[in-house]
Amino acid sequence: MKTIITKDLFKKEPKVIVKTIGFCYAIFGAWALIMSNFLMYDMSRFSGQEEVNEFVDLIEMLKNIWSIYMPILMIIGLFLIGFSYYFDRLRPHHVRIQQVILLTSAIWGLAYTIASIPYLKTFTSIQPADEIFEGLSLIFGIIGVIALMIVPNYRVLKKLKLDSSDVDGEFT
């Protein structure tokens, strides 16, 4: 079974790439919200037990982060899906719209990473680990945000710029 986002995806036309990325963002955002609510519901059974209070607080912290950032991720994804359906009508504005999407995704990724730092610190205080673990977790988080939020949108932007320069070149 092929994965959804591969090098083959970026060989397709930008409209298909944008739609696929949008679906991924929207589905992941919805999944994270559902899972955080499910975890809080499941953890409520243990609320009176001392030994799991820290873990329940950790899950609540994660839910608070996800309840702020995942709806925004879903909105970005839905916007991308909408953009893909109106792609041909918006042809003169492709590059500008994709620049806004890239900027929004980068800001979301940076804000999400910063908001996740207290969660990571709380997690390492419950389950003591080396400082290396904390640093590596932050580095992998940043790399993940760059790989999933910035790189796909940048590749689409790059492809759109190439396409628009080809079109401009035909008329001059």
Side-chain angles (χ1 to χ4, degrees):
M1 182 168 112
K2 270 190 159 180
T3 58
I4 293 175
I5 298 181
T6 63
K7 287 184 180 182
D8 294 335
L9 173 65
F10 293 109
K11 292 178 183 173
K12 297 183 179 187
E13 61 182 278
K15 180 163 76 171
V16 174
I17 300 169
V18 167
K19 187 187 304 181
T20 304
I21 293 169
F23 273 117
C24 290
Y25 290 173
I27 288 171
F28 182 77
W31 175 84
L33 282 175
I34 291 167
M35 288 307 295
S36 66
N37 286 322
F38 175 73
L39 282 171
M40 282 307 296
Y41 172 76
D42 199 41
M43 288 286 128
S44 66
R45 297 182 300 156
F46 302 108
S47 63
Q49 299 176 11
E50 277 290 317
E51 59 272 359
V52 293
N53 278 347
E54 290 178 331
F55 187 68
V56 170
D57 292 343
L58 185 69
I59 297 299
E60 187 174 342
M61 183 182 282
L62 180 65
K63 183 189 183 308
N64 291 338
I65 294 169
W66 280 1
S67 66
I68 293 169
Y69 290 95
M70 292 306 145
I72 298 169
L73 181 63
M74 287 176 18
I75 290 169
I76 292 171
L78 292 173
F79 183 80
L80 283 165
I81 293 168
F83 178 43
S84 73
Y85 282 109
Y86 292 103
F87 202 78
D88 296 326
R89 290 186 200 165
L90 298 170
R91 184 158 301 281
H93 309 289
H94 282 165
V95 173
R96 182 68 59 207
I97 292 170
Q98 191 59 37
Q99 286 172 336
V100 170
I101 291 168
L102 176 61
L103 180 64
T104 305
S105 297
I107 290 169
W108 181 91
L110 179 65
Y112 180 75
T113 302
I114 291 169
S116 297
I117 291 172
Y119 172 80
L120 180 63
K121 290 191 180 296
T122 304
F123 178 79
T124 55
S125 71
I126 291 172
Q127 182 67 35
D130 294 337
E131 288 179 17
I132 294 173
F133 174 78
E134 189 176 327
L136 284 175
S137 297
L138 186 60
I139 289 169
F140 284 124
I142 292 169
I143 290 171
V145 165
I146 290 170
L148 297 174
M149 295 301 293
I150 297 172
V151 170
N153 289 304
Y154 176 74
R155 299 227 10 216
V156 170
L157 178 63
K158 192 169 148 185
K159 194 168 191 142
L160 287 174
K161 281 185 175 181
L162 284 174
D163 289 350
S164 70
S165 69
D166 290 343
V167 170
D168 292 341
E170 290 175 3
F171 296 114
T172 56

Short mmCIF file of all heavy atoms in Angstrom, two decimals, residues 13-19 79-95 97 160 163 167:
data_model
loop_
_atom_site.label_atom_id
_atom_site.label_comp_id
_atom_site.label_asym_id
_atom_site.label_seq_id
_atom_site.Cartn_x
_atom_site.Cartn_y
_atom_site.Cartn_z
N GLU A 13 -0.07 17.50 -10.72
CA GLU A 13 -0.37 18.91 -10.89
C GLU A 13 -0.68 19.56 -9.54
O GLU A 13 -1.15 18.90 -8.62
CB GLU A 13 -1.50 19.12 -11.89
CG GLU A 13 -2.81 18.50 -11.49
CD GLU A 13 -3.87 18.71 -12.55
OE1 GLU A 13 -4.45 19.80 -12.57
OE2 GLU A 13 -4.06 17.80 -13.36
N PRO A 14 -0.40 20.84 -9.39
CA PRO A 14 -0.55 21.52 -8.10
C PRO A 14 -1.94 21.38 -7.48
O PRO A 14 -2.07 21.26 -6.27
CB PRO A 14 -0.24 22.98 -8.42
CG PRO A 14 0.64 22.92 -9.61
CD PRO A 14 0.19 21.73 -10.40
N LYS A 15 -2.98 21.35 -8.29
CA LYS A 15 -4.34 21.23 -7.77
C LYS A 15 -4.51 19.94 -6.97
O LYS A 15 -5.10 19.95 -5.89
CB LYS A 15 -5.33 21.28 -8.93
CG LYS A 15 -6.77 21.17 -8.53
CD LYS A 15 -7.71 21.62 -9.63
CE LYS A 15 -7.88 20.64 -10.74
NZ LYS A 15 -8.96 21.02 -11.67
N VAL A 16 -3.96 18.84 -7.46
CA VAL A 16 -4.06 17.55 -6.77
C VAL A 16 -3.22 17.56 -5.49
O VAL A 16 -3.64 17.05 -4.46
CB VAL A 16 -3.61 16.41 -7.72
CG1 VAL A 16 -3.56 15.08 -6.99
CG2 VAL A 16 -4.51 16.34 -8.94
N ILE A 17 -2.05 18.17 -5.57
CA ILE A 17 -1.18 18.26 -4.40
C ILE A 17 -1.87 19.06 -3.29
O ILE A 17 -1.90 18.63 -2.13
CB ILE A 17 0.17 18.92 -4.76
CG1 ILE A 17 0.89 18.11 -5.84
CG2 ILE A 17 1.05 19.06 -3.53
CD1 ILE A 17 2.09 18.82 -6.44
N VAL A 18 -2.42 20.21 -3.65
CA VAL A 18 -3.08 21.08 -2.67
C VAL A 18 -4.25 20.35 -2.02
O VAL A 18 -4.44 20.40 -0.80
CB VAL A 18 -3.54 22.40 -3.35
CG1 VAL A 18 -4.49 23.17 -2.48
CG2 VAL A 18 -2.33 23.25 -3.70
N LYS A 19 -5.05 19.65 -2.83
CA LYS A 19 -6.21 18.92 -2.30
C LYS A 19 -5.76 17.82 -1.33
O LYS A 19 -6.32 17.66 -0.26
CB LYS A 19 -7.03 18.31 -3.43
CG LYS A 19 -8.33 17.69 -2.95
CD LYS A 19 -9.08 16.95 -4.03
CE LYS A 19 -9.39 17.79 -5.23
NZ LYS A 19 -10.13 17.08 -6.27
N PHE A 79 -9.39 25.15 3.85
CA PHE A 79 -9.08 26.22 2.91
C PHE A 79 -8.32 25.66 1.71
O PHE A 79 -8.59 26.03 0.56
CB PHE A 79 -8.27 27.33 3.59
CG PHE A 79 -7.99 28.49 2.69
CD1 PHE A 79 -8.96 29.46 2.47
CD2 PHE A 79 -6.77 28.62 2.05
CE1 PHE A 79 -8.71 30.53 1.62
CE2 PHE A 79 -6.51 29.68 1.20
CZ PHE A 79 -7.48 30.64 0.99
N LEU A 80 -7.36 24.77 1.97
CA LEU A 80 -6.61 24.14 0.88
C LEU A 80 -7.54 23.33 -0.03
O LEU A 80 -7.40 23.37 -1.26
CB LEU A 80 -5.50 23.25 1.44
CG LEU A 80 -4.27 23.97 1.96
CD1 LEU A 80 -3.42 23.04 2.81
CD2 LEU A 80 -3.46 24.53 0.82
N ILE A 81 -8.47 22.60 0.57
CA ILE A 81 -9.42 21.82 -0.22
C ILE A 81 -10.26 22.76 -1.09
O ILE A 81 -10.44 22.52 -2.29
CB ILE A 81 -10.30 20.95 0.69
CG1 ILE A 81 -9.45 19.88 1.37
CG2 ILE A 81 -11.43 20.30 -0.12
CD1 ILE A 81 -10.16 19.16 2.51
N GLY A 82 -10.77 23.83 -0.49
CA GLY A 82 -11.54 24.81 -1.25
C GLY A 82 -10.72 25.44 -2.36
O GLY A 82 -11.20 25.63 -3.48
N PHE A 83 -9.47 25.77 -2.05
CA PHE A 83 -8.56 26.34 -3.04
C PHE A 83 -8.39 25.39 -4.21
O PHE A 83 -8.38 25.80 -5.38
CB PHE A 83 -7.23 26.67 -2.38
CG PHE A 83 -6.16 27.22 -3.28
CD1 PHE A 83 -6.44 28.20 -4.23
CD2 PHE A 83 -4.85 26.79 -3.16
CE1 PHE A 83 -5.45 28.72 -5.04
CE2 PHE A 83 -3.85 27.32 -3.97
CZ PHE A 83 -4.14 28.28 -4.91
N SER A 84 -8.29 24.09 -3.93
CA SER A 84 -8.10 23.12 -5.01
C SER A 84 -9.34 23.03 -5.90
O SER A 84 -9.21 22.82 -7.10
CB SER A 84 -7.75 21.74 -4.44
OG SER A 84 -8.88 21.13 -3.85
N TYR A 85 -10.52 23.20 -5.35
CA TYR A 85 -11.74 23.13 -6.16
C TYR A 85 -11.94 24.38 -7.01
O TYR A 85 -12.54 24.31 -8.07
CB TYR A 85 -12.97 22.88 -5.29
CG TYR A 85 -13.07 21.43 -4.87
CD1 TYR A 85 -12.84 21.05 -3.56
CD2 TYR A 85 -13.37 20.44 -5.79
CE1 TYR A 85 -12.91 19.73 -3.18
CE2 TYR A 85 -13.44 19.11 -5.43
CZ TYR A 85 -13.22 18.75 -4.11
OH TYR A 85 -13.29 17.44 -3.74
N TYR A 86 -11.46 25.52 -6.55
CA TYR A 86 -11.57 26.76 -7.32
C TYR A 86 -10.25 27.13 -7.98
O TYR A 86 -10.04 28.28 -8.35
CB TYR A 86 -12.04 27.90 -6.40
CG TYR A 86 -13.46 27.70 -5.95
CD1 TYR A 86 -13.73 27.25 -4.68
CD2 TYR A 86 -14.52 27.95 -6.81
CE1 TYR A 86 -15.03 27.04 -4.25
CE2 TYR A 86 -15.82 27.75 -6.41
CZ TYR A 86 -16.08 27.29 -5.13
OH TYR A 86 -17.36 27.07 -4.73
N PHE A 87 -9.39 26.15 -8.12
CA PHE A 87 -8.03 26.37 -8.61
C PHE A 87 -8.02 27.06 -9.97
O PHE A 87 -7.28 28.03 -10.17
CB PHE A 87 -7.32 25.02 -8.69
CG PHE A 87 -5.83 25.11 -8.66
CD1 PHE A 87 -5.16 25.34 -7.48
CD2 PHE A 87 -5.10 24.98 -9.82
CE1 PHE A 87 -3.78 25.42 -7.45
CE2 PHE A 87 -3.73 25.05 -9.80
CZ PHE A 87 -3.07 25.27 -8.62
N ASP A 88 -8.79 26.56 -10.90
CA ASP A 88 -8.76 27.11 -12.26
C ASP A 88 -9.32 28.53 -12.32
O ASP A 88 -8.83 29.36 -13.07
CB ASP A 88 -9.53 26.19 -13.21
CG ASP A 88 -8.86 24.83 -13.33
OD1 ASP A 88 -7.61 24.78 -13.26
OD2 ASP A 88 -9.57 23.82 -13.47
N ARG A 89 -10.34 28.83 -11.52
CA ARG A 89 -10.92 30.17 -11.50
C ARG A 89 -9.96 31.19 -10.88
O ARG A 89 -10.03 32.37 -11.18
CB ARG A 89 -12.22 30.19 -10.69
CG ARG A 89 -13.34 29.47 -11.36
CD ARG A 89 -14.59 29.67 -10.57
NE ARG A 89 -15.55 28.63 -10.92
CZ ARG A 89 -16.60 28.35 -10.22
NH1 ARG A 89 -16.88 29.03 -9.12
NH2 ARG A 89 -17.42 27.41 -10.60
N LEU A 90 -9.10 30.71 -9.98
CA LEU A 90 -8.19 31.61 -9.27
C LEU A 90 -6.81 31.66 -9.90
O LEU A 90 -5.85 32.09 -9.27
CB LEU A 90 -8.08 31.17 -7.80
CG LEU A 90 -9.36 31.21 -7.00
CD1 LEU A 90 -9.18 30.52 -5.66
CD2 LEU A 90 -9.81 32.64 -6.79
N ARG A 91 -6.68 31.22 -11.14
CA ARG A 91 -5.38 31.10 -11.80
C ARG A 91 -4.50 32.35 -11.67
O ARG A 91 -3.31 32.23 -11.37
CB ARG A 91 -5.55 30.71 -13.26
CG ARG A 91 -4.22 30.47 -13.95
CD ARG A 91 -4.31 29.62 -15.17
NE ARG A 91 -4.84 28.29 -15.00
CZ ARG A 91 -4.15 27.25 -14.52
NH1 ARG A 91 -2.93 27.41 -14.11
NH2 ARG A 91 -4.70 26.07 -14.44
N PRO A 92 -5.01 33.54 -11.85
CA PRO A 92 -4.10 34.70 -11.75
C PRO A 92 -3.55 34.93 -10.33
O PRO A 92 -2.55 35.62 -10.16
CB PRO A 92 -4.97 35.89 -12.16
CG PRO A 92 -6.25 35.35 -12.67
CD PRO A 92 -6.35 33.93 -12.25
N HIS A 93 -4.19 34.34 -9.34
CA HIS A 93 -3.79 34.60 -7.95
C HIS A 93 -3.15 33.38 -7.27
O HIS A 93 -2.97 33.39 -6.05
CB HIS A 93 -5.02 35.03 -7.14
CG HIS A 93 -5.77 36.15 -7.78
ND1 HIS A 93 -5.28 37.44 -7.84
CD2 HIS A 93 -6.97 36.16 -8.41
CE1 HIS A 93 -6.14 38.20 -8.47
NE2 HIS A 93 -7.19 37.45 -8.84
N HIS A 94 -2.82 32.35 -8.03
CA HIS A 94 -2.27 31.11 -7.46
C HIS A 94 -1.08 31.36 -6.53
O HIS A 94 -1.06 30.88 -5.40
CB HIS A 94 -1.79 30.16 -8.56
CG HIS A 94 -2.88 29.42 -9.22
ND1 HIS A 94 -2.67 28.76 -10.39
CD2 HIS A 94 -4.17 29.21 -8.90
CE1 HIS A 94 -3.77 28.18 -10.77
NE2 HIS A 94 -4.71 28.45 -9.88
N VAL A 95 -0.11 32.07 -7.05
CA VAL A 95 1.14 32.25 -6.30
C VAL A 95 0.87 33.03 -5.01
O VAL A 95 1.33 32.64 -3.93
CB VAL A 95 2.20 32.95 -7.17
CG1 VAL A 95 3.43 33.30 -6.35
CG2 VAL A 95 2.59 32.07 -8.35
N ILE A 97 -1.95 33.34 -3.28
CA ILE A 97 -2.73 32.52 -2.34
C ILE A 97 -1.82 31.48 -1.69
O ILE A 97 -1.88 31.26 -0.48
CB ILE A 97 -3.93 31.86 -3.05
CG1 ILE A 97 -4.95 32.93 -3.46
CG2 ILE A 97 -4.58 30.81 -2.16
CD1 ILE A 97 -6.04 32.42 -4.38
N LEU A 160 4.05 26.27 -8.60
CA LEU A 160 3.16 27.30 -9.14
C LEU A 160 3.97 28.44 -9.77
O LEU A 160 3.58 28.98 -10.80
CB LEU A 160 2.25 27.86 -8.05
CG LEU A 160 1.13 26.94 -7.58
CD1 LEU A 160 0.40 27.56 -6.40
CD2 LEU A 160 0.18 26.63 -8.71
N ASP A 163 5.16 27.21 -13.08
CA ASP A 163 4.04 27.19 -14.02
C ASP A 163 3.68 28.59 -14.48
O ASP A 163 3.42 28.82 -15.66
CB ASP A 163 2.80 26.52 -13.41
CG ASP A 163 2.98 25.02 -13.23
OD1 ASP A 163 3.96 24.46 -13.77
OD2 ASP A 163 2.13 24.40 -12.55
N VAL A 167 3.86 30.27 -18.32
CA VAL A 167 2.73 30.94 -18.96
C VAL A 167 3.14 32.35 -19.38
O VAL A 167 2.84 32.79 -20.48
CB VAL A 167 1.50 30.99 -18.01
CG1 VAL A 167 0.43 31.90 -18.55
CG2 VAL A 167 0.97 29.59 -17.77
#
